[in-house]
Amino acid sequence: MLSKNVEKALNEQIRIEAESSQVYLSMASWAEVKGLEGISNFMYRHSDEERLHMLKLVKYVNERGGHAHISDLKAPKTDFGTFQKMFQELYEHEIFVSNSINELVHVTLQEKDYATHNFLQWYVSEQIEEEALARTILDKINLIGNDKGGLYLFDRDVQQITVDSAAMDPGA
Ligand code: FEO
């Protein structure tokens, strides 16, 4: 059975994962309209992953005798300026998510909830990989600079970059 504090913190994380999915969906739509097909596909996929992160938490809360709350979400912005700025925002957003997971892990220790602590280790690892992925992408963007051919190749290749491949990239 979850303590009220752990349940509340998990519900907060459910909202954050759901909002992350919306943020990346909005980025996907912006990129699609700009004709950046590869970047758009990458963001659509990332949005789906965040929804899965949310669902995994929903299932866990309900399985442990809590009640997962599906709440209102803050609307993401619709214009991201440039694709460079957009990926910088993605990176900063993932750092925000990592901090929030760390807070959540802290609550489970305070409440001596070792089962939830154990469950959250998957999220801790996932955040390391997601931050690595975002940094790998930002490094590639820096290499391109303002080169149009480079953007063409980046847009084509970013679709192949996954969390797993970035984690194995020695440059990450
Ligand atoms: Fe579910 Fe990208 O954090």
Side-chain angles (χ1 to χ4, degrees):
M1 190 76 185
L2 297 171
S3 74
K4 282 293 155 209
N5 282 342
V6 169
E7 183 177 358
K8 187 164 169 273
L10 285 167
N11 268 319
E12 177 64 13
Q13 193 62 33
I14 285 170
R15 189 183 55 75
I16 287 174
E17 300 291 346
E19 282 183 352
S20 301
S21 180
Q22 296 294 89
V23 167
Y24 298 141
L25 186 57
S26 188
M27 288 181 176
S29 180
W30 178 86
E32 191 163 51
V33 167
K34 296 279 172 201
L36 300 165
E37 199 189 337
I39 293 173
S40 160
N41 286 339
F42 171 90
M43 291 298 181
Y44 278 123
R45 197 179 64 212
H46 212 55
S47 171
D48 286 346
E49 282 173 16
E50 299 302 346
R51 181 176 157 75
L52 292 177
H53 296 174
M54 174 201 68
L55 277 177
K56 203 174 158 84
L57 285 160
V58 167
K59 292 283 180 186
Y60 179 79
V61 169
N62 290 343
E63 241 172 55
R64 295 288 314 284
H67 181 183
H69 290 176
I70 309 306
S71 61
D72 277 8
L73 302 177
K74 195 169 74 190
K77 58 184 191 179
T78 52
D79 188 351
F80 295 91
T82 64
F83 79 95
Q84 291 96 330
K85 284 191 190 144
M86 186 170 73
F87 277 104
Q88 181 64 35
E89 279 193 37
L90 177 143
Y91 178 54
E92 285 163 17
H93 187 78
E94 286 305 328
I95 290 174
F96 160 74
V97 174
S98 296
N99 289 340
S100 137
I101 294 284
N102 285 342
E103 283 302 315
L104 180 52
V105 169
H106 181 68
V107 173
T108 64
L109 286 180
Q110 277 178 329
E111 299 281 319
K112 296 193 170 69
D113 181 345
Y114 299 112
T116 304
H117 184 268
N118 188 43
F119 166 77
L120 289 173
Q121 295 313 301
W122 183 86
Y123 286 85
V124 171
S125 310
E126 179 70 13
Q127 283 314 119
I128 293 171
E129 291 176 1
E130 295 225 2
E131 283 186 32
L133 170 75
R135 273 199 307 275
T136 300
I137 292 172
L138 287 179
D139 286 348
K140 287 190 197 303
I141 288 173
N142 276 336
L143 284 174
I144 300 168
N146 289 321
D147 180 52
K148 286 266 185 243
L151 171 58
Y152 172 81
L153 293 175
F154 174 78
D155 186 57
R156 192 193 64 183
D157 293 345
V158 74
Q159 304 178 76
Q160 318 299 332
I161 303 178
T162 62
V163 158
D164 290 341
S165 70
M168 287 185 301
D169 185 340

